[in-house]
Each structure stands twice: as structure tokens, then as C-alpha cells.
């Protein structure tokens, strides 16, 4: 039988492969159908039954071999309600009152040592407002005393020195402080003749000027603070100024005070 002839079967098999081979090739991916490789979030496309997308293991890049429609990715806009906006404003306003730094200061007519916190603001954080509590030892009086100071600082320039250091060559400002205790008064007590003192023993207004040196801590080594600033100030108060003007024999040492401090920048 011719159908059982080996040569005939071999020829028929070769002929069948040659006939089917173009069909097999057309079922695989042709290189000219590959469009481009994309990140997973770069496109938005519509997948249909004949879409082919190729991924590589461990890679976020994929290749679109065949897709019905491809559109540029556009983030979906989230519509905020009035409630969402009100909550956002509420949180933002509360975030503003979080203190950005703390200070410790020695002397300055606000106590032997003063501790407090404050806020930086302005385009270059050139403004600071501080609230400090001070401690005055008992010395020759009956008991120690506590003071409170509201301080406003202004640093117009900040100069980068290098190796993490910067300086504010000029700092100035004013502060008001008070001392707690019944023996201090804002209005002259009746036990004194009217106008005997003519000033308040409880509240003092001060002016100061000084300089600062700041070290920015390496971000890899920060634990609590992002920078530490050393500063010194020369200050005087309203009562000292009046005394200096009316008493020419006073020297600067009698009406000027030297103070030192550290500032720890938390935020």
C-alpha cells in the first residue's frame, strides 16, 4: 500500500509542517507589534480579549504588545467637600501652634536660668517668638522667685560658613518679663507717697542685640534636634536706661547685661 510507504509518510509530514509554520508564527508576538515599555502608572489602557501585555519578573516596567486603546495617564481628581476643606483648615491652624524650638538662657535680667519654647516664622525663619520661665535663687531674700518672659527676636541675615555651620551676625529684639510674688507691684502701693517710685517693680521692658552660631546636625545622626544654636546677647531695660540718662557717673557695666544661651531646633 502506498499509504504505508515510509517515504510517503515523511514527505507528507514535511509538507504539513511547511504549511502550518506560517500560522504558528502569526500566533506568536511579532517584534514590529511591540509598541513601547512603560511604568505601571504611566498609562491607562483598555484591555480586550486580544490584548497582550508582557511583564518581566521583578520589574515594574511592562511592554504593551497589542492593546485595543492606549490613553495617557491622568490622575483622577478628588473632589473635596466643604467638610473636608474645613477639617483641613482646622488641622493646619492647630499645626501652626506647635513649637518649633526650645531655649535655655543664662542671665539677661530674666532669672539666673530661663527655659522655654518658641516659634520660627517668616520667609527665612528670621522671626522668633519665645516664652520663657526663669528661676531666681533665694540669695539674701526669704525665698526663690519665678519669672516669665515674652521675647521677640529678629535675625535679618544668615550666612552659611561651611561644614554644617552658619551664623547670624546680627540679632536683635525686645522682651517683657515679670516676676511672680506679692512683694512686686505694677501700681505703686498706697504706703508710698504718690510718685515716690514712679515705675513698676513687677514688669520690665528690655532691648537686646547679639550674635548667633548654628550647627546643623547631619540628618543621619539626628536624634531629637535638627540644629543647635549658641547665642549671646547684650541687653538693657527701661529702668536702666533712665538711670543711665539721669546719672552720668554710671558706666556701661552698670546698665548693660551679658547673657548666653542655647537654642535647640526641633522642627
Amino acid at each position: 500500500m502506498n499509504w504505508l510507504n515510509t517515504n510517503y509518510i515523511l514527505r507528507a509530514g514535511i509538507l504539513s509542517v511547511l504549511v502550518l509554520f506560517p500560522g504558528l508564527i502569526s500566533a506568536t508576538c511579532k517584534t514590529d507589534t511591540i509598541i513601547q515599555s512603560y511604568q505601571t502608572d504611566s498609562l491607562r489602557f483598555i484591555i480586550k480579549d486580544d490584548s497582550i501585555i508582557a511583564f518581566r519578573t521583578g520589574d515594574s516596567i511592562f511592554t504593551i504588545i497589542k492593546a485595543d486603546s492606549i490613553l495617557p495617564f491622568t490622575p483622577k481628581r478628588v473632589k473635596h467637600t466643604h467638610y473636608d476643606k474645613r477639617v483641613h483648615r482646622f488641622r493646619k491652624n492647630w499645626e501652626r501652634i506647635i513649637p518649633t524650638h526650645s531655649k535655655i538662657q543664662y542671665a539677661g535680667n530674666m532669672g539666673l536660668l530661663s527655659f522655654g519654647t518658641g516659634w520660627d516664622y517668616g520667609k527665612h525663619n528670621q522671626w522668633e517668638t519665645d516664652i520663657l520661665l526663669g528661676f531666681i535663687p533665694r540669695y539674701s531674700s526669704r525665698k526663690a522667685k519665678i519669672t516669665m518672659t515674652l521675647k521677640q527676636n529678629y535675625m535679618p541675615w544668615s550666612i552659611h560658613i561651611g561644614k554644617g555651620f552658619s551664623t547670624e551676625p546680627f540679632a536683635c529684639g525686645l522682651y517683657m518679663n515679670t516676676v511672680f510674688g506679692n512683694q512686686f507691684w505694677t501700681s505703686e502701693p498706697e504706703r508710698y507717697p504718690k510718685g515716690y517710685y514712679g515705675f513698676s517693680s513687677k514688669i520690665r521692658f528690655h532691648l537686646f542685640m547679639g550674635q548667633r552660631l548654628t550647627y546643623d546636625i547631619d540628618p543621619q545622626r539626628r536624634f531629637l534636634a535638627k540644629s543647635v544654636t549658641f547665642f549671646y546677647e547684650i541687653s538693657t531695660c527701661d529702668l536702666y536706661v533712665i538711670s543711665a540718662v539721669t546719672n552720668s557717673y554710671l558706666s556701661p557695666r552698670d546698665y548693660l547685661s551679658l547673657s548666653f544661651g542655647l537654642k535647640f531646633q526641633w522642627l
Side-chain angles (χ1 to χ4, degrees):
M1 293 293 290
N2 293 334
W3 289 100
L4 296 177
N5 188 285
T6 304
N7 291 332
Y8 178 80
I9 295 174
L10 180 63
R11 291 174 183 176
I14 293 173
L15 181 62
S16 300
V17 170
L18 292 176
V19 171
L20 294 174
F21 186 69
L24 294 173
I25 293 177
S26 64
T28 60
C29 305
K30 292 183 178 178
T31 54
D32 59 357
T33 62
I34 296 175
I35 300 173
Q36 197 172 348
S37 297
Y38 300 92
Q39 295 290 336
T40 53
D41 57 350
S42 60
L43 289 174
R44 178 167 60 88
F45 52 89
I46 301 171
I47 300 175
K48 290 194 174 182
D49 294 339
D50 57 349
S51 298
I52 300 174
I53 303 171
F55 287 89
R56 288 183 294 181
T57 304
D59 195 349
S60 61
I61 297 178
F62 64 90
T63 301
I64 298 177
I65 299 173
K66 184 178 181 182
D68 183 75
S69 180
I70 303 173
L71 301 172
F73 176 77
T74 54
K76 188 177 181 180
R77 295 188 63 183
V78 179
K79 184 178 180 181
H80 296 287
T81 65
H82 292 293
Y83 171 79
D84 296 331
K85 294 178 180 177
R86 186 164 58 253
V87 170
H88 179 72
R89 288 196 302 269
F90 180 78
R91 290 178 175 173
K92 192 174 182 180
N93 291 334
W94 276 104
E95 287 175 354
R96 290 176 180 172
I97 67 173
I98 298 175
T100 58
H101 63 262
S102 295
K103 285 184 179 179
I104 177 172
Q105 182 167 339
Y106 170 77
N109 293 314
M110 59 175 70
L112 180 66
L113 283 176
S114 297
F115 307 86
T117 188
W119 300 263
D120 305 277
Y121 47 91
K123 188 175 181 180
H124 302 290
N125 287 335
Q126 71 272 31
W127 294 97
E128 288 178 3
T129 301
D130 304 321
I131 297 179
L132 305 165
L133 285 178
F135 169 75
I136 303 175
R138 184 170 65 88
Y139 294 126
S140 58
S141 62
R142 297 177 56 185
K143 57 183 180 181
K145 301 170 184 64
I146 300 297
T147 69
M148 187 175 75
T149 301
L150 178 63
K151 187 178 182 183
Q152 182 65 43
N153 310 269
Y154 177 60
M155 295 74 62
W157 306 290
S158 179
I159 301 174
H160 182 67
I161 300 175
K163 295 184 178 179
F165 287 93
S166 61
T167 182
E168 285 83 36
F170 178 72
C172 61
L174 52 88
Y175 53 94
M176 179 185 71
N177 75 311
T178 183
V179 56
F180 298 100
N182 296 328
Q183 64 270 44
F184 303 100
W185 34 263
T186 53
S187 299
E188 205 168 75
E190 294 181 356
R191 63 177 180 269
Y192 300 116
K194 187 176 182 180
Y196 183 79
Y197 283 104
F199 59 84
S200 168
S201 64
K202 192 176 185 66
I203 298 176
R204 294 268 69 83
F205 295 91
H206 301 256
L207 296 170
F208 75 89
M209 57 180 295
Q211 292 180 311
R212 298 183 174 198
L213 179 65
T214 299
Y215 175 68
D216 292 321
I217 301 172
D218 190 305
Q220 303 299 326
R221 298 180 178 178
R222 289 174 185 169
F223 182 65
L224 292 176
K226 62 186 293 186
S227 65
V228 180
T229 300
F230 168 80
F231 64 87
Y232 80 88
E233 297 171 355
I234 298 174
S235 64
T236 187
C237 67
D238 52 353
L239 190 59
Y240 288 175
V241 171
I242 294 173
S243 298
V245 171
T246 56
N247 300 282
S248 59
Y249 59 86
L250 294 177
S251 65
R253 295 184 58 181
D254 297 318
Y255 52 83
L256 295 179
S257 299
L258 178 63
S259 60
F260 304 90
L262 289 174
K263 172 190 172 187
F264 302 92
Q265 191 76 36
W266 309 122
L267 301 176

